[in-house]
C-alpha cells in the first residue's frame, strides 16, 4: 500500500530511487513520483507505473545525491498526476512522500484553508506537509521539531519521508502503523518501506517503531526520537535477504516463479522444525507459549485475504488433531465487534506481509483483553511479529506477485506443525498416527513437485476457459478453504467473477447459476467426504455445468463424470490443501496470462494493505 524510498549520500540518488521503486512496486502502482535535491528541489510525478515515471523523467535533469520516491495505491483522491506523491509544501521548499491515511485531514485542511493555504491535490498527504510548514514558520522551530509537533496533531497511519530545500544534508522520516526501514551504508543512508530496495547496498538496517521520528543527516549518526520527544537508541540489525529472491529468475512473472518455488518454500518452512524419524516437531519461536496453547480452551485465528483461507485450514487441523475449539475471524470484522476474548485465550494472527492494518488492529484489541498473541508471518522484521507475544516465521522467502501463492502453502505448513505439536503435548493423537502424519508431511515437498507437472495440461485447459464469465469452486472439509482460495486467485488476477462454496451448500443458492456456460471446479480428492462430493458433482452435471475436477491420482469414479480431470498425488486428507491448491494457482495464472492481464500487479490490488 504505497512504497516509499529515500536516499542521502555521495552517489547519484536517481538510479537508486528508481530501482527501489521497482522493487516496491508490488505495494501499489497507480502513480509514481520522485523529488531530487540539487540546489533546486525538482519534483517529477505521473499517473501510471514506475516505468511511466521513468519515461516522464527521461531527458529532464536528474542530478542530486539526495532524494525521495513513491509508488502509490490511491486512498484519498483518484490516481492522477496531481494526487501522485511527492507533494510540495506551500512554499515548495519541502516535499513529502507518505504511506498511510491521515484520518483527521479534513478538519486540519479546513483550518489551513482559513489561514490562506492553497491545495492542489485531493490527498491527505498534502495537508500534512502544509501543516508541517505552517508549524515550522509560525513556531520558528527546526524541521524535525515541526514534524514532531505535527505528528502529535494527526490521527491515522503514516510512514513519511520529508526532504527540504534548505537542508541539503537531511531527510526526516517517521512511522506509525506503516513500515519504514533505514539502511546504514558507509557514507550514505537509505530509507524504504521494506528492505528490498536496501539489500544490495547494505546489510545494516534499523526498523523504525511506531511513533518514532528519525533524522538522517549525511556524515552523522541517525537520531531517533518519539513523537512524545523521547530519545531512542537505534537498534541495528543484519539483513538476511538473498538478492536473487527479488528477481524473476527466468520466469515470465513473479507469480509463476513463486508457484514453482513451493517444493522448496514448503521445505524451508519445515527446515529445522520437523524430524519425522525422531518424531520431533520444534517451533523455536513459540516454545515458551506451547503449554499455554495446549491448555487453551479456545484458539481464535485472525487474518485477511489468502491468510484467512489458511486460517480456515488451521481450524480443521487444530480441531482434528489437538481437539481445540477454534474460531476463524476476519481481522477487519473482529476489530470492530466486541469480541469475547479473555486472558486464557490464544489468538493466532496470520499475515504474509506482517503489515496488514486490520490484522494489526485486531491484535491490539485482543492484546488489550489479555489474550496471548501468536504470529505466523512471512516478512521478517515486519510489524506483526513485533506486535505479538511470540510467533513463527513461515520462511517462504520474499513473495512479490500480488496474488499470494507460496505464502499460503507455507502458512498451512506451519499450522500443520503447530497443530501436531499441540496434539502431541495434549495427548490427543496416538503415537503411530503422529508418526504417520509427520512422515506424510515430510514427503509433501516432493509431492508438490510432482503436482507441478500438471502445468502443461492446465495451460491447455486455460485456453478453453479464457473467456468464461463466471466460475464456481466447490470443496468440502479441508478442500472447502482450497475452493475459496482457488476462486480468490482467479478473481484477483483474471478479473473473472468466481465464487468458492462448500460443495453441499451449493444447492441452497448457487445451483441456480449453473448452466452449460458455467465451469465448476470441484476438489474431489479421495478421502473424507469423497462420496458426498460425487453426489454434488452429479447435481452440477444434471444441470449441464462443466466439471473440472481435482482428483487423487488413479481416481476412477470422478473421472466418469467430470469433463476435465487434474490429478494430484495421494496424501493424508489433512495435507491435501498443500497439493490441491497448486493446480488452482496455475489455472488462474494461465487464464490471466491468456486474457492479457497484469499477473503480478493486478488492477486495484496491493500486496501489503496498510490501510483499513
Ligand atoms: C492483500 C493481498 C492478499 C493478502 C491479503 C492479506 O489483500 O493482496 O494477497 O492475502 O492482503 O495480507 P497479509 O499480508 O496479511 O497476508
Amino acid at each position: 500500500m504505497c512504497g516509499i524510498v529515500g536516499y542521502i549520500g555521495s552517489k547519484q540518488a536517481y538510479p537508486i530511487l528508481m530501482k527501489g521503486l521497482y522493487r516496491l512496486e508490488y505495494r501499489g502502482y497507480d502513480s509514481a513520483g520522485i523529488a531530487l535535491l540539487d540546489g533546486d528541489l525538482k519534483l517529477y510525478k505521473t499517473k501510471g507505473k514506475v516505468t511511466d515515471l521513468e519515461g516522464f523523467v527521461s531527458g529532464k535533469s536528474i542530478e542530486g545525491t539526495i532524494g525521495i520516491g513513491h509508488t502509490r495505491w490511491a486512498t484519498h483522491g483518484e490516481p492522477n498526476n496531481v494526487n501522485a506523491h511527492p507533494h510540495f509544501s506551500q512554499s515548495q521548499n519541502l516535499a513529502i512522500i507518505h504511506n498511510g491515511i491521515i484520518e483527521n485531514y479534513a478538519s486540519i485542511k479546513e483550518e489551513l484553508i482559513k489561514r490562506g493555504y492553497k491545495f492542489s491535490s485531493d490527498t491527505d498527504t498534502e495537508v500534512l506537509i502544509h501543516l508541517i510548514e505552517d508549524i515550522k514558520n509560525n513556531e520558528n522551530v527546526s524541521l524535525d521539531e515541526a514534524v514532531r509537533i505535527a505528528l502529535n496533531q494527526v490521527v491515522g497511519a503514516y510512514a513519511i519521508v520529508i526532504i527540504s530545500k534548505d537542508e541539503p544534508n537531511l531527510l526526516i522520516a517517521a512511522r506509525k502503523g506503516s513500515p519504514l526501514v533505514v539502511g546504514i551504508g558507509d557514507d550514505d543512508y537509505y530509507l524504504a518501506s521494506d528492505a528490498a530496495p536496501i539489500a544490495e547496498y547494505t546489510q545494516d538496517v534499523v526498523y523504525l517503531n511506531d511513533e518514532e521520528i528519525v533524522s538522517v543527516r549525511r556524515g552523522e549518526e541517525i537520531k531517533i526520537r518519539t513523537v512524545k520527544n523521547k530519545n531512542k537508541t537505534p537498534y541495528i540489525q543484519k539483513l538476511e535477504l538473498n538478492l536473487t529472491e527479488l528477481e524473476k529468475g527466468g520466469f515470465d512473472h513473479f507469480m509463476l516463479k513463486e508457484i514453482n518455488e513451493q517444493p522448496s518454500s514448503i521445505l524451508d518452512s519445515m527446515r529445522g522444525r520437523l524430524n519425522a524419524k525422531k518424531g520431533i516437531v520444534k517451533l523455536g519461536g513459540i516454545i515458551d507459549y506451547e503449554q499455554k496453547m495446549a491448555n487453551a480452551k479456545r484458539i481464535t485465528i485472525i487474518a485477511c485475504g489468502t491468510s484467512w483461507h489458511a486460517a480456515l485450514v488451521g481450524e480443521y487441523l487444530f480441531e482434528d488433531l489437538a481437539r481445540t475449539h477454534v474460531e476463524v475471524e476476519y481481522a477487519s470484522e473482529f476489530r470492530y465487534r466486541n469480541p469475547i476474548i479473555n486472558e486464557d485465550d490464544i489468538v493466532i494472527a496470520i499475515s504474509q506481509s506482517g503489515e496488514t492494518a486490520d490484522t494489526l488492529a485486531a491484535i491490539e484489541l485482543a492484546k488489550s483483553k489479555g489474550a496471548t498473541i501468536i504470529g505466523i508471518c512471512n516478512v521478517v522484521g515486519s510489524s506483526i511479529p513485533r506486535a505479538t507475544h511470540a510467533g513463527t516465521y513461515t520462511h517462504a522467502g520474499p513473495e512479490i506477485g500480488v496474488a499470494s501463492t507460496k505464502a499460503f502453502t507455507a502458512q498451512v505448513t506451519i499450522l500443520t506443525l503447530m497443530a501436531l505439536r499441540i496434539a502431541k503435548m495434549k495427548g490427543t493423537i496416538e503415537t503411530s498416527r503422529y508418526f504417520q502424519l509427520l512422515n506424510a508431511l515430510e514427503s509433501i515437498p516432493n509431492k508438490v513437485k510432482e503436482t507441478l507437472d500438471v502445468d502443461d495440461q492446465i495451460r491447455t485447459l486455460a485456453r478453453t476457459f479464457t473467456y468464461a464469465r463466471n466460475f464456481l469452486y466447490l470443496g468440502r472439509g479441508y478442500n472447502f478453504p482450497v475452493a475459496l482460495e482457488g476462486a480468490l486467485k482467479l478473481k484477483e488476477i483474471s478479473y473473472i467473477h468466481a465464487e468458492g462454496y462448500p460443495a453441499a451448500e451449493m444447492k441452497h443458492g448457487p445451483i441456480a447459476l449453473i448452466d452449460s456456460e458455467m465451469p465448476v471446479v470441484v476438489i474431489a480428492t479421495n478421502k473424507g467426504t469423497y462420496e458426498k462430493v460425487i453426489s454434488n458433482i452429479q447435481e452440477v452435471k444434471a444441470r449441464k455445468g462443466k466439471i473440472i475436477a481435482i482428483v487423487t491420482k488413479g481416481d476412477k469414479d470422478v473421472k466418469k463424470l467430470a469433463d476435465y480431470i487434474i490429478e494430484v498425488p495421494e496424501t493424508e486428507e489433512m495435507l491435501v490443501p498443500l497439493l490441491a491448491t497448486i493446480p488452482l494457482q496455475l489455472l488462474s495464472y494461465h487464464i490471466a496470462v491468456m486474457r492479457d492481464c497484469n499477473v503480478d500487479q493486478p488492477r486495484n490490488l496491493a500486496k501489503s494493505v496498510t490501510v483499513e
Side-chain angles (χ1 to χ4, degrees):
M1 200 117 296
C2 299
I4 66 180
V5 58
Y7 175 77
I8 180 166
S10 53
K11 302 189 205 93
Q12 282 298 308
Y14 178 75
I16 295 169
L17 296 177
M18 289 310 281
K19 202 164 185 186
L21 289 182
Y22 277 117
R23 291 232 195 273
L24 292 176
E25 207 170 15
Y26 73 87
R27 302 180 67 86
Y29 32 80
D30 57 44
S31 49
I34 50 167
L36 294 162
L37 182 56
D38 181 34
D40 269 354
L41 187 53
K42 295 165 286 197
L43 198 149
Y44 307 119
K45 55 185 191 175
T46 181
K47 182 179 172 196
K49 295 186 184 288
V50 178
T51 170
D52 297 304
L53 175 66
E54 225 177 348
F56 178 74
V57 172
S58 162
K60 302 191 170 76
S61 157
I62 49 167
E63 294 297 303
T65 56
I66 169 170
I68 57 178
H70 188 268
T71 175
R72 179 170 187 246
W73 187 90
T75 57
H76 291 68
E78 63 172 282
N80 58 26
N81 296 347
V82 172
N83 290 331
H85 298 211
H87 289 283
F88 268 138
S89 63
Q90 192 80 56
S91 69
Q92 304 207 339
N93 281 341
L94 302 176
I96 187 171
I97 48 174
H98 170 215
N99 168 27
I101 291 182
I102 305 299
E103 287 167 16
N104 58 340
Y105 81 103
S107 56
I108 300 174
K109 186 170 182 175
E110 215 174 290
E111 199 50 45
L112 289 167
I113 288 172
K114 276 190 209 147
R115 303 231 294 278
Y117 281 83
K118 299 257 179 305
F119 288 84
S120 50
S121 78
D122 308 318
T123 64
D124 49 339
T125 307
E126 195 185 8
V127 176
L128 181 56
I129 196 65
H130 285 350
L131 176 66
I132 289 168
E133 182 158 79
D134 186 67
I135 292 169
K136 185 173 179 302
N137 293 342
N138 289 326
E139 302 197 15
N140 200 16
V141 290
S142 63
L143 178 58
D144 67 328
E145 182 60 5
V147 170
R148 195 187 69 76
I149 296 169
L151 293 181
N152 274 293
Q153 294 180 21
V154 302
V155 177
Y158 52 79
I160 53 169
V161 187
I162 295 163
I163 188 167
S164 162
K165 191 174 169 182
D166 298 332
E167 306 214 44
N169 290 315
L170 177 70
L171 288 175
I172 305 270
R175 78 155 269 178
K176 183 183 176 191
S178 300
L180 196 63
V181 192
V182 187
I184 302 173
D186 289 339
D187 67 342
D188 48 10
Y189 290 106
Y190 304 81
L191 290 151
S193 299
D194 71 30
I198 297 175
E200 59 198 281
Y201 308 108
T202 176
Q203 301 300 302
D204 295 329
V205 293
V206 174
Y207 291 95
L208 279 203
N209 290 309
D210 272 351
E211 304 209 324
E212 284 182 354
I213 305 166
V214 61
S215 301
V216 182
R217 214 176 266 281
R218 221 187 133 186
E220 289 182 18
E221 290 193 350
I222 60 170
K223 288 196 183 67
I224 299 179
R225 59 180 178 147
T226 66
V227 294
K228 301 280 174 266
N229 207 9
K230 242 179 95 186
N231 289 328
K232 289 287 188 92
T233 311
Y235 171 56
I236 302 174
Q237 289 175 260
K238 283 274 174 225
L239 267 186
E240 282 174 29
L241 193 63
N242 183 348
L243 276 180
T244 57
E245 291 178 330
L246 303 172
E247 309 291 340
K248 284 191 199 140
F251 287 92
D252 288 344
H253 298 95
F254 280 110
M255 182 180 177
L256 187 59
K257 177 188 172 224
E258 286 154 9
I259 292 172
N260 279 281
E261 275 173 353
Q262 289 174 108
S264 59
S265 56
I266 293 175
L267 192 64
D268 288 343
S269 301
M270 300 192 293
R271 197 182 299 283
R273 294 166 166 172
L274 169 66
N275 185 330
K277 257 194 211 90
K278 292 189 177 156
I280 296 172
V281 172
K282 188 175 163 203
L283 293 164
I286 58 164
I287 275 182
D288 294 345
Y289 290 85
E290 279 177 351
Q291 199 54 55
K292 209 162 181 195
M293 288 177 83
N295 294 345
K297 294 224 159 31
R298 184 179 63 162
I299 293 177
T300 303
I301 315 184
I302 49 175
C304 303
T306 289
S307 300
W308 187 83
H309 296 154
L312 282 184
V313 181
E315 174 178 20
Y316 296 3
L317 286 164
F318 271 98
E319 287 184 358
D320 262 355
L321 295 169
R323 306 302 299 139
T324 312
H325 174 77
V326 177
E327 283 180 25
V328 174
E329 304 268 5
Y330 285 112
S332 54
E333 286 298 311
F334 180 87
R335 65 180 288 193
Y336 286 117
R337 288 213 320 272
N338 188 8
I340 300 161
I341 293 281
N342 56 51
E343 283 160 19
D344 301 327
D345 271 308
I346 295 287
V347 172
I348 300 179
I350 308 180
S351 173
Q352 186 288 127
S353 62
E355 299 294 347
T356 303
D358 284 322
T359 310
L360 265 168
I363 289 171
E364 293 307 333
L365 176 64
K367 256 203 312 204
S368 72
K369 291 176 182 284
T372 299
I373 322 289
I374 305 292
I376 299 179
C377 294
N378 194 39
V379 177
V380 176
S382 54
S383 301
I384 291 176
R386 287 185 290 151
T388 51
H389 293 102
T392 301
Y393 282 116
T394 45
H395 291 313
E399 191 182 66
I400 294 166
V402 164
S404 186
T405 52
K406 65 174 179 174
F408 174 77
T409 46
Q411 290 163 345
V412 172
T413 304
I414 296 295
L415 286 161
T416 311
L417 288 171
M418 265 186 194
L420 281 163
R421 174 70 191 140
I422 302 304
K424 187 79 176 54
M425 291 178 72
K426 287 176 81 170
T428 49
I429 187 167
E430 280 185 12
T431 305
S432 57
R433 180 74 181 130
Y434 176 72
F435 273 92
Q436 219 172 26
L437 286 171
L438 293 198
N439 280 311
L441 186 56
E442 206 170 55
S443 68
I444 283 293
N446 279 334
K447 290 188 178 176
V448 170
K449 205 172 192 181
E450 202 180 321
T451 309
L452 285 165
D453 289 342
V454 296
D455 188 44
D456 283 343
Q457 192 196 343
I458 291 189
R459 194 178 302 119
T460 310
L461 187 63
R463 223 164 272 138
T464 311
F465 292 105
T466 310
Y467 298 104
R469 292 164 59 95
N470 297 287
F471 257 86
L472 192 58
Y473 286 71
L474 302 176
R476 297 182 78 157
Y478 283 93
N479 287 333
F480 164 50
V482 175
L484 293 180
E485 177 57 11
L488 179 66
K489 283 295 86 89
L490 190 72
K491 288 186 256 222
E492 283 178 317
I493 61 169
S494 74
Y495 319 136
I496 295 175
H497 169 249
E499 267 190 75
Y501 241 78
E505 254 320 278
M506 175 187 64
K507 58 184 170 294
H508 300 294
I511 200 164
L513 301 170
I514 292 174
D515 60 15
S516 60
E517 303 280 292
M518 176 68 108
V520 182
V521 179
V522 188
I523 304 112
T525 44
N526 68 357
K527 307 235 163 52
T529 48
Y530 179 66
E531 306 292 339
K532 308 275 176 202
V533 173
I534 291 183
S535 308
N536 300 138
I537 293 177
Q538 299 274 21
E539 290 160 9
V540 176
K541 282 307 288 178
R543 286 152 188 93
K544 299 194 167 51
K546 294 272 171 294
I547 299 282
I548 302 162
I550 312 294
V551 297
T552 310
K553 245 178 205 155
D555 178 280
K556 293 203 175 63
D557 297 340
V558 176
K559 214 173 233 165
K560 287 183 206 142
L561 297 170
D563 298 276
Y564 307 90
I565 288 283
I566 297 160
E567 292 187 331
V568 297
E570 166 103 41
T571 188
E572 292 284 345
E573 185 192 0
M574 58 186 67
L575 304 182
V576 167
L578 293 169
L579 304 182
T581 307
I582 313 283
L584 305 188
Q585 295 169 344
L586 287 168
L587 182 64
S588 53
Y589 171 78
H590 287 300
I591 290 181
V593 169
M594 282 166 198
R595 288 166 72 96
D596 217 9
C597 296
N598 188 332
V599 172
D600 283 338
Q601 294 169 350
R603 72 181 180 208
N604 305 340
L605 299 181
K607 186 144 193 77
S608 174
V609 182
T610 53
V611 295
E612 65 170 287

